[in-house]
Amino acid sequence: MDILNILVDEFKLKKKHIENVIGLLDEGNTIPFIARYRKEQTGEMEDAIIRELSNRLNYLRNLETRKEEVIRLIHEQGKLTDELKLEIEKSTTLQRVEDLYRPYKQKRRTRATIAKERGLEGLSNIILEQNIHKNEFDNIVLSYINEEKGVNSKEEALQGAMDIIAEIVSDDANYRKDIKKIILSEGLIITEAVDKEETTVYDMYYDYKEPIKSIANHRILAINRGEKEKKLKVNIHINHDKVIDLIKDRVIVESNSPTFEYLNLSIEDGYKRLLYPSIEREIRSNLTERAEEEAIKVFSLNLEPLLMQPPIKGKMIMAIDPGYRTGCKVAIIDETGKYLDHEVVYPTEPQNQIEKTKIKLKKLIDKYNINIIAIGNGTASRETETLVAEILRELNRNIYYIIVSEAGASIYSASEVGIKEFPDLDVTIRGAISIGRRLQDPLAELVKIEPKHIGVGQYQHDLHQGKLNEALRGVVEDCVNRVGVDLNTASPSLLSYVAGISTRVANNLVNHREEKGRFENRKELLKVKGLGPKTFEQCAGFLRIPDGKDPLDNTGVHPESYDIASQLIGIDYKNMDIDQLSQSLEVGKPTLMDIIKELEKPGRDPRDEMPKPILRQDVLSLDDLKIDMVLKGTVRNVVDFGAFVDIGVKEDGLIHISQLSNRYIKHPKEVVVVGDIVEVKIIDIDKNRGRISLSMKGL
């Protein structure tokens, strides 16, 4: 198998660029470094493509390794033929290799292995050959009776032989391949209720069927969850008689043979007892894997714009983590994110201290000259929002509020990172600080929380956690390195996502900073314990030093290109031909253009180009909404069937996929991403269920 040519064919990229990426990965270079600083070698391949290519490369290499191992194992048994070896070598999936290996694989004790131990394999071969007269066959069967081996009768001998044939049928790689094709093209997923009288969120699946070839990924995950919670029974249905006849047509060549009856029964038993249940499990597993991969992609697509939301800089923030019985936790943080003060107020049920709360919050607003109030979107959020809106009207000052997702704030509060940052504060106050800080700098704060807890996507707790964590870590890594990190203020959590920097080195960086003082230039990185030349090469360009000794240290220019950047500073490059300049400086054009961009906007933050969050001064309720009303909102989550939008009322509205665009779209991600500010029209309001249906059509 030529892995390079397979990748070229699949990715439709130039062979030399893929070859270069493979070489760079094998040398231990990180994906952000390759994408940002080796553009000439990669043809300016984006980090997401390099990551996808890397994953596919690993799969193909693992496939090759497994092929070699399977060929060796079968050869050691003395059963490897040229045809089988060729079939294994040309396999394009791990599953096909495993199917081909299945007949030779060491098994736990089965009915077939027991029958072989009793010496009945020869009889099974005679039945399969179908080339014997009746009288002769009866005598042969009798010759296999052996009480010492546990074969006490003609019936036991025949049953053992049939058990062996049933397993042969089940293990046949070609039958498995063809039956999978039939199931995928003709099979139905059928679900029914475990208890039809019980009302659950799975009502729509109580009597449900859908072709496997068209079932949506989110329905697969919903059905899986219903089955796991023992609310649904799930089966795959196909025309079993058709499939059994297909196998019989291939196996049975002599219908008049005395072995016909036993062969017939063996095939039916092998299919119903072994082959079909095994393939059904495999198909279900493959459907789940497909659905999980898509869900992880959607999660990743949602996470990136959430992390890349523009920071609210230079503002004094009052952050409120709302609650009922335990009250609302209030934290004050300054323009740099430094914690200043906290308070607990009880404006909601059961205490309803509304006037007392107003007095306390107004005092804090005046004392710290608050610019923005950040309100967590959890329990009691909208009641708190109503109160804050009243306070702002009474103060008549230029102050705004914003609803902030508090997903993961409680996890941060009780985490090792949260405790280390604020050891003397109550866990609930840490949560309020997190809410405020994620408004000031979403990326720097959200990296302290495991990405799967950030609250975008769907069914994240049902997904393969290893694959989910790996994919989401890749997204966070790409975002952190695209923005760059202030070396003198970054937390260990943020530093650990910088290309090449491990958790240990991130902690060493912070310890070095605390012991020796601020970093004055990037070269000082080499003095940090555990940070050698290779790590320096990978991370240096992504670490920024504002107000350092060398202005280039506050840019995305890599130290390896400082000489070129210095030459550019001394010439009028804006009026020069870029191709000629590239040749004269002996630098690739993509790298040159990146350097120029950095020199023109040193310290540039790419997040500043993203849509700004909506700041509010007044609150809406469901009663204020009317059909056909047009509002602006923020996309909070994108899932397979639509997008949830915050329009300033208690519940997010849903734009169903059919209402996102006038044109046909396969997935909502084609139209919107998390963080988008969109104009929507209200098309339905269900006050009893608190549901709002929205549309973007025609707006």
Side-chain angles (χ1 to χ4, degrees), residues 292-300 463-464 467-468 471-472:
E292 287 186 346
E293 283 178 7
E294 184 59 32
I296 289 170
K297 280 182 187 175
V298 172
F299 206 127
S300 300
L463 306 179
H464 186 289
K467 290 180 181 177
L468 178 64
L472 298 186

Side-chain angles (χ1 to χ4, degrees), residues 46-139:
E46 292 182 357
D47 43 22
I49 300 297
I50 297 173
R51 205 171 288 283
E52 197 177 329
L53 193 150
S54 174
N55 290 338
R56 184 62 177 148
L57 173 66
N58 289 336
Y59 179 90
L60 292 172
R61 284 178 168 174
N62 289 337
L63 176 60
E64 279 299 283
T65 302
R66 183 59 178 158
K67 284 181 187 179
E68 291 169 8
E69 187 179 17
V70 164
I71 288 169
R72 176 183 62 79
L73 290 168
I74 299 174
H75 177 72
E76 286 174 359
Q77 294 178 33
K79 296 178 181 178
L80 185 67
T81 63
D82 291 341
E83 292 79 12
L84 178 57
K85 184 180 179 185
L86 182 63
E87 195 68 31
I88 294 168
E89 286 175 341
K90 70 179 186 181
S91 298
T92 56
T93 66
L94 280 166
Q95 189 59 60
R96 177 63 177 165
V97 173
E98 296 306 326
D99 281 352
L100 290 165
Y101 178 48
R102 193 180 181 92
Y104 310 96
K105 196 173 184 178
Q106 284 295 109
K107 293 183 175 70
R108 58 178 176 78
R109 276 169 64 83
T110 63
R111 281 162 55 170
T113 57
I114 292 168
K116 286 177 182 178
E117 289 168 7
R118 291 175 175 172
L120 296 170
E121 192 166 11
L123 180 57
S124 69
N125 290 335
I126 290 168
I127 295 172
L128 279 167
E129 286 166 6
Q130 308 165 60
N131 186 23
I132 194 166
H133 294 295
K134 187 175 187 315
N135 291 337
E136 189 183 355
F137 179 62
D138 288 340
N139 290 330

